Amino acid sequence: MERTQESLDSLKWYRRIAWGPSITLVVLPVCGIVAAFWVRLYAPTAIFTLAYGYIVLLSVTAGYHRLWSHGSYVASIPLKIFLAVIGAAALQGPIRWWACGHRAHHRFTDTSEDPYNIKKGFFHAHILWMLLKQPKRNRRVEISDLLKDPVVAWQARYYIPLAVGMGWLFPMAVAGLCWNDWSGGFLYGGILRMFVCHQGVFCINSVCHFFGDQPYDDKFSPRNIPHLLAMCTLGEGYHNYHHAFPADYRLGVHWYDLDATKWNIWLWGKLGLARNLKRCRQTKVDKASLRQMQKGQ
């Protein structure tokens, strides 16, 4: 009888799976990778996929992350709408859900209340926390600004049609109408572009809490992994700096750092699309850096 009950309990593993995210994050990309063996990648589709992937990822790093999660700058309404619409194409959830989880990550870093706690394992921090249903927690995170933002509310209300439309149908339509590559636009500009963007962002939660250096703070796990990862994530690889100074609109604090998001926000400021770009005082940054160097002596 006990063995029978244990067998029944073991068969209930599927109830722990979050099927929606699992289909989006695993099933569709696997199908897309298999389909890529038969669907030819044309040059115009490849160029469009790279360009659209850059814009979508920028909408996450500059929009979801630095604007709505941290309030690193103030964006104009047209810029907010643009970032909300294109950001939905990343298929990483509505702004409110994403920013709420990210604020919890900063407030409860490396604890059981951290949604992507690296102490639960590399794979958990990377993707497993979305594939399995997590227990409900009473995380106290301030989101009154998000609740008052009409663009955030509008995007949440229409998130599914925005995500499907901008994530998959729009790239398919562009490639199909412009150079008659409907299948390539859907596969490369939609499914596989989404998969690559996902992995880039997920690496910030996993790789940047596992490898790299800590030039500003070593109290918690966040680390800097410049160069390749920073370039592929438009500057998000400077994660140790970000956790030490989360309100700064820059993650790559030096002019030569590979932080494309920083330069886009700076350009928007010059064009009048953004204002109040927050920067941490250089003396405070230098003090934190010096303290870390002294620890290493």
Side-chain angles (χ1 to χ4, degrees), residues 47 185 210 236 244 284:
I47 295 171
F210 204 82
E236 298 292 302
K284 190 175 181 180

Side-chain angles (χ1 to χ4, degrees), residues 76-215:
S76 63
I77 294 298
L79 179 57
K80 276 188 171 184
I81 294 174
F82 174 81
L83 293 173
V85 171
I86 303 299
L91 285 102
Q92 294 189 21
I95 295 167
R96 186 183 300 162
W97 176 84
W98 199 102
C100 183
H102 190 73
R103 290 181 183 184
H105 168 63
H106 273 263
R107 182 173 181 182
F108 305 108
T109 305
D110 298 341
T111 71
S112 60
E113 298 298 315
D114 183 349
Y116 15 98
N117 181 11
I118 192 65
K119 291 186 177 180
K120 290 185 177 181
F122 183 92
F123 190 52
H124 170 86
H126 189 78
I127 195 173
L128 196 62
W129 69 277
M130 287 179 289
L131 302 183
L132 298 180
K133 296 176 182 178
Q134 301 299 317
K136 292 184 178 180
R137 304 182 186 279
N138 187 25
R139 301 188 185 98
R140 294 185 179 181
V141 179
E142 175 58 46
I143 60 168
S144 60
D145 58 318
L146 299 174
L147 296 175
K148 295 176 183 178
D149 192 323
V151 175
V152 173
W154 173 80
Q155 196 232 30
R157 187 178 305 115
Y158 299 104
Y159 175 73
I160 292 179
L162 283 172
V164 173
M166 298 306 299
W168 299 326
L169 301 184
F170 175 73
M172 179 179 68
V174 170
L177 294 174
C178 295
W179 52 88
N180 198 33
D181 186 16
W182 295 90
S183 58
F186 178 75
L187 176 60
Y188 295 104
I191 301 297
L192 295 182
R193 183 269 316 156
M194 173 197 71
F195 171 70
V196 173
C197 288
H198 278 166
Q199 298 310 308
V201 174
F202 297 167
C203 280
I204 306 303
N205 302 331
S206 56
V207 177
C208 285
H209 283 261
F210 204 82
F211 301 103
D213 56 10
Q214 297 179 303

Side-chain angles (χ1 to χ4, degrees), residues 215-233:
Y216 300 101
D217 186 15
D218 60 359
K219 185 178 180 180
F220 298 107
S221 63
R223 300 171 183 273
N224 276 5
I225 304 183
H227 310 311
L228 181 60
L229 186 57
M231 181 174 64
C232 293
T233 58

